Amino acid sequence: MFRKGILFVISGPSGVGKGTIIDSVISNFSDLNLSVSVTTREPRANEIDGREYFFVPVSKFQQMVADGELLEWAKVYDNFYGTPRQMVLDHLKSNQDILLELDIQGALKVKKTMPNAVFIFIAPPSFEDLMQRIEKRGKDSQSSIETRMKSYESEMQYMEYYDYVVINENLNIAISVVSAIITAERCRYNNILR
């Protein structure tokens, strides 16, 4: 018996630890593919085009939108982000699982077009904990931190649209829980090809 490919979508507030969780989960599952998003933001130190993101100018991004090349796209904190449609469809057609790390806007767009995907929301234990994490990571300017923190309350209200909510209070436990969700979804009867 073979399994259908499953689309997993992970999102949550900025700074909650999605990337760290995803990196560990991907290393636990050799057959889980990570989608690479397209963005118009500038690369951060140590980011490589095609690995973390496909970095493109705004004009190229707008052309991709016009040509229907993106499964979802959104403007987040003054930059555009999108998911290459064909990459996702190719994995699913080949019965391979693929994981998307999306902001909440993007996840809700995917939910409308691909409702059978598995949606996982990563939440912080508290607002204060999230604030400390963002400040500690040292990747963002003070104005960027303030913008992200203002979005926190509205982002948390979208948990109800997800299949699973994982509280990232302890990183190792959060990684184990997300891994368990993936394993359980792979065992669901409706994901077996008959």
Side-chain angles (χ1 to χ4, degrees):
M1 282 194 284
F2 295 97
R3 260 189 331 97
K4 297 177 187 174
I6 303 169
L7 172 58
F8 294 95
V9 178
I10 293 182
S11 54
S14 177
V16 76
K18 298 180 298 290
T20 303
I21 291 170
I22 288 169
D23 288 346
S24 292
V25 167
I26 289 289
S27 70
N28 290 341
F29 294 94
S30 61
D31 57 347
L32 179 61
N33 302 282
L34 180 63
S35 175
V36 179
S37 297
V38 179
T39 185
T40 60
R41 80 159 170 76
E42 291 297 316
R44 293 181 180 139
N46 300 321
E47 287 184 331
I48 296 173
D49 184 55
R51 186 180 68 186
E52 283 80 15
Y53 290 95
F54 295 109
F55 297 98
V56 300
V58 173
S59 59
K60 169 68 174 164
F61 191 94
Q62 290 170 333
Q63 188 62 52
M64 293 176 80
V65 170
D67 293 343
E69 294 178 32
L70 300 176
L71 179 63
E72 59 77 36
W73 65 274
K75 187 173 186 180
V76 182
Y77 308 122
D78 300 324
N79 293 296
F80 291 101
Y81 294 83
T83 302
R85 178 187 306 277
Q86 201 57 51
M87 178 188 299
V88 171
L89 296 179
D90 286 348
H91 280 93
L92 296 176
K93 286 178 187 172
S94 300
N95 299 319
Q96 298 174 359
D97 297 339
I98 186 161
L99 188 150
L100 307 181
E101 178 184 352
L102 297 178
D103 67 287
I104 292 164
Q105 295 175 59
L108 295 178
K109 287 180 182 177
V110 171
K111 192 170 184 80
K112 287 181 182 176
T113 59
M114 304 186 86
N116 292 332
V118 177
F119 294 84
I120 304 168
F121 189 94
I122 308 296
S126 69
F127 174 82
E128 292 75 21
D129 182 81
L130 182 63
M131 183 75 165
Q132 288 173 0
R133 288 181 196 194
I134 290 176
E135 288 175 344
K136 189 189 294 185
R137 75 181 185 174
K139 292 181 180 179
D140 303 287
S141 67
Q142 189 58 40
S143 64
S144 175
I145 291 171
E146 289 170 10
T147 301
R148 291 167 193 263
M149 296 290 64
K150 286 178 186 172
S151 300
Y152 170 79
E153 281 189 39
S154 64
E155 290 176 329
M156 293 297 287
Q157 293 177 14
Y158 288 97
M159 282 192 293
E160 67 181 280
Y161 298 103
Y162 288 75
D163 301 307
Y164 300 94
V165 175
V166 177
I167 308 295
N168 186 14
E169 185 168 7
N170 176 296
L171 181 61
N172 290 329
I173 292 173
I175 291 165
S176 294
V177 171
V178 172
S179 297
I181 290 167
I182 291 168
T183 300
E185 288 292 332
R186 287 177 166 189
C187 296
R188 288 176 69 95
Y189 179 74
N190 63 345
N191 287 325
I192 303 296
L193 290 173
R194 299 175 287 283

